Amino acid sequence: MDKSSLPSRHATSGPERAPHRAFYYAMGLSADDIARPIVGVVSSWNEAAPCNIALKRQAEAAKRGVTAAGGTPREFTTITVTDGIAMGHVGMKASLVSRETIADSVELTVRGHCYDALVGLAGCDKTLPGLMMAMLRLDIPSVFLYGGSILPGRFHGRDVTVLDVFEAVGAHAAGKISLDELTALEKVACPGAGSCGGQYTANSMAYVSEAIGLALPGSASPPAAYDTRDAFAERSGEAVMRLVREGPRPRQIVTRRALENAAAVVAATGGSTNATLHLPAMAHEAGIAFDLFDVAEVFRRTPLIADLKPGGRYLAKDVHDIGGVTVILKVLLDGGFLHGDCLTVTGRTLAENLADVVLPTEQQVVMPVSRAISPTGGLVGLRGNLAPDGAIVKVAGLAHLAHSGPARVFDSEEACFEAVMREQYAAGDVLIIRYEGPKGGPGMREMLSTTSAIYGQGMGDQVALVTDGRFSGATRGLCIGHVGPEAADGGPIGLLRDGDVIDIDAAAGTLSVRLTDDELAARRAAWAPRATDYQSGAIWRYAQTVGPARYGAVVHPGARAETHVYADR
């Protein structure tokens, strides 16, 4: 293949690159190998959590596909901060920061070694958007592959996930279950490799990868333990070589219309609120304006058709068993909720990929649009004098969409969690957790430990929680996150006091506090910024550059400020 227009020519072609080629020969490559397109195969494989432990095997399969299709694969890895282990303590401050580090590390590896294309394999929450952001930033031919979800555990004759363990912590604190029962549950909830099995962040972003066109059709569905994942990995390696020869490149795939398709599949499945961070961040890498309110508008017009946990009854494995993500996309396409003309990594349009897909009957996992669970999606954007820059709430499975009550204000997650564990709150309260935003945290922690403890105590439908931080995709209840401006920027959430009455109406899309503009202005005049404990290192650096949650909590100017694109160098 002629490499005269490929980035790898800078490291492999001509007499002056003899020292560079010497390094390749040292790794066992031949002259023919060096002359082929060089394809990076990156995964987030590690031993930090089950989400990632199957990725090394799948990366090997992807490399076989690249080789068979005429390329030379070069494997490397990136980091993971696994939310399940980082949750509920200061480790969670590293989670969202890791998304940027993942994207940066892939960019630097590709730039430094002049790779021509990329296959990216991801398992845990931030690795999925992080890898897709890198693909868009570099704009080299790329194929994304999800590592697969975990199979459900079994406890007392029912399917369980790690969410059941988080909620059992609250149940134990309330004296509802014994320590022995909690211990027995924790040992069986996660039976092997794969990401959390409900429609939490990992599976939500996996479904996005297909809807947005960066992954092969059907690749997001098989659980990590299934051998069919290896076949998808090999096909992904073959597909990226076709993209090298023929295109399209990621920015031709990820358009405004493709982003709307991605938001639609999150809404239709009752997915993670974190998508309202990750989709704007991905759009930013492609130079597309697409913020929280743009995502929320798609949520508003898209029906909820998949009955998935945490708000519903089924798991990702159940979606796979009825035909996979393509079934959900087909229902949405036939109902007029997707743009079928968007290009994908197959070289065909989304509609062409879905032409032969049929919604199975005799199943209750995915409904036709005519029998949608709800006429609007499982997530709702909110706005009001408490959130001028917006907020987000997952409403899938909620019976009550409105709540008014007195604020109980906490300046950290730990303070709120301690109060919850001591049951120092009352029905009707609105728990406020602030100074946990992207800048104020720093790092915008998830609050799954706190929300799960509330549910475990049987109070999930009797209180609300509002934060400038964020929530795990596993969170359920009237839990509102991403409130902006955040407290660290002097947003209204930072001006609240105990007893202020908070009004939430998810049906109307409003979040407000019963204070006048003059009262808020007086409190703002007396407000002063707060220093954090992070005055050096990666988290400090993140806090200096991170932007608002509304725009994806991004840390650099994005594609709209570019003067060149790596792939065109």
Side-chain angles (χ1 to χ4, degrees):
M1 184 176 176
D2 178 15
K3 293 178 65 172
S4 62
S5 64
L6 296 181
S8 66
R9 72 187 187 278
H10 296 293
T12 61
S13 300
E16 68 277 13
R17 297 301 180 238
H20 306 65
R21 291 191 294 272
F23 281 103
Y24 282 116
Y25 287 127
M27 293 183 284
L29 272 63
S30 68
D32 285 344
D33 294 330
I34 298 170
R36 296 180 184 128
I38 308 295
V39 179
V41 177
V42 58
S43 77
S44 56
W45 177 85
N46 57 48
E47 294 181 333
C51 326
N52 307 291
I53 57 174
L55 294 178
K56 187 170 183 62
R57 184 195 82 227
Q58 295 180 43
E60 290 294 334
K63 289 161 63 178
R64 291 195 296 271
V66 170
T67 302
T72 296
R74 295 284 85 194
E75 184 179 356
F76 65 101
T77 58
T78 186
I79 70 159
T80 294
V81 173
T82 297
D83 291 1
I85 292 176
M87 193 74 67
H89 54 86
V90 293
M92 179 50 72
K93 293 179 183 288
S95 173
L96 188 58
V97 180
S98 76
R99 185 191 70 180
E100 314 312 313
T101 301
I102 290 160
D104 291 350
S105 67
V106 174
E107 176 197 356
L108 295 175
T109 300
V110 170
R111 283 187 181 275
H113 302 98
C114 301
Y115 292 159
D116 299 316
L118 195 63
V119 178
L121 301 94
C124 198
D125 293 5
K126 306 311 169 292
T127 60
L128 285 84
L131 286 183
M132 289 188 275
M133 288 163 63
M135 292 171 176
L136 289 161
R137 186 182 302 177
L138 295 160
D139 201 31
I140 52 175
S142 301
V143 177
F144 177 86
L145 181 66
Y146 180 43
S149 65
I150 197 169
L151 293 171
R154 295 289 292 176
F155 187 68
H156 293 341
R158 62 185 178 94
D159 286 349
V160 293
T161 71
V162 71
L163 175 59
D164 295 278
V165 186
F166 274 103
E167 293 185 356
V169 171
H172 173 256
K176 296 184 176 183
I177 64 170
S178 68
L179 179 60
D180 286 346
E181 189 168 10
L182 175 61
T183 302
L185 172 61
E186 73 181 60
K187 291 179 177 179
V188 299
C190 299
S195 301
C196 296
Q199 198 60 359
Y200 315 150
T201 303
N203 281 317
S204 296
M205 295 308 296
Y207 289 15
V208 160
S209 72
E210 284 198 37
I212 211 165
L214 289 175
L216 292 177
S219 63
S221 302
Y226 287 14
D227 290 342
T228 48
R229 294 231 57 87
D230 293 11
F232 275 114
E234 192 160 341
R235 285 173 51 198
S236 296
E238 295 167 353
V240 83
M241 288 305 301
R242 182 178 62 252
L243 294 174
V244 171
R245 296 183 175 92
E246 305 170 9
R249 285 175 15 190
R251 293 189 191 177
Q252 294 171 292
I253 293 170
V254 178
T255 62
R256 168 74 186 228
R257 289 162 70 84
L259 287 159
E260 291 178 355
N261 287 346
V265 81
V266 176
T269 57
S272 172
T273 55
N274 281 308
T276 61
L277 280 176
H278 301 325
L279 291 178
M282 291 168 62
H284 184 71
E285 301 289 356
I288 300 169
F290 194 69
D291 69 6
L292 180 149
F293 293 112
D294 296 310
V295 180
E297 172 56 27
V298 179
F299 289 169
R300 185 193 62 77
R301 67 178 186 241
T302 306
L304 176 65
I305 60 171
D307 191 12
L308 302 178
K309 292 189 176 190
R313 296 175 291 169
Y314 297 103
L315 296 171
K317 176 187 177 295
D318 300 308
V319 174
H320 173 70
D321 289 345
I322 66 158
V325 183
T326 53
V327 169
I328 297 170
L329 296 176
K330 178 67 168 180
V331 174
L332 290 174
L333 179 67
D334 289 348
F337 298 101
L338 294 182
H339 304 296
D341 58 348
C342 291
L343 283 175
T344 73
V345 291
T346 66
R348 301 186 299 273
T349 66
L350 182 67
E352 289 170 336
N353 289 343
L354 299 173
D356 297 326
V357 177
V358 176
L359 174 66
T361 58
E362 306 301 323
Q363 55 83 29
Q364 298 296 316
V365 182
V366 176
M367 298 291 104
V369 169
S370 62
R371 292 194 287 122
I373 300 166
S374 169
T376 59
L379 301 103
V380 173
L382 307 176
R383 200 172 201 168
N385 72 341
L386 185 51
D389 272 355
I392 194 76
V393 61
K394 179 185 286 193
V395 297
L398 290 186
H400 305 289
L401 301 183
H403 183 96
S404 295
R408 287 286 313 281
V409 181
F410 302 93
D411 286 345
S412 69
E413 181 190 10
E414 286 87 353
C416 184
F417 183 72
E418 181 178 353
V420 168
M421 293 299 283
R422 293 180 177 179
E423 300 184 80
Q424 294 173 343
Y425 64 105
D429 283 351
V430 179
L431 307 180
I432 306 292
I433 303 178
R434 62 189 182 186
Y435 293 100
E436 292 287 6
K439 182 188 296 185
M444 202 179 185
R445 284 193 284 184
E446 292 181 352
M447 309 291 170
L448 181 61
S449 293
T450 302
T451 60
S452 296
I454 291 169
Y455 248 90
Q457 292 172 356
M459 294 287 285
D461 60 352
Q462 299 184 57
V463 298
L465 196 153
V466 176
T467 181
D468 53 6
R470 60 193 176 91
F471 293 111
S472 164
T475 288
R476 54 181 178 152
L478 195 58
C479 298
I480 297 157
H482 306 198
V483 171
E486 61 172 295
D489 282 332
I493 191 172
L495 310 178
L496 295 178
R497 298 172 183 168
D498 284 343
D500 289 341
V501 178
I502 309 300
D503 294 313
I504 303 162
D505 190 337
T510 59
L511 173 63
S512 59
V513 56
R514 294 182 193 174
L515 295 172
T516 66
D517 291 346
D518 288 344
E519 288 171 320
L520 286 170
R523 291 189 187 184
R524 186 171 291 107
W527 175 86
R530 300 186 179 200
T532 76
D533 291 336
Y534 295 83
Q535 296 301 311
S536 66
I539 295 177
W540 173 86
R541 185 171 60 243
Y542 177 86
Q544 308 316 300
T545 57
V546 68
R550 173 178 174 176
Y551 301 105
V554 295
V555 297
H556 68 99
R560 280 174 286 178
E562 286 177 345
T563 58
H564 82 283
V565 178
Y566 164 81
D568 295 329
R569 61 180 294 195

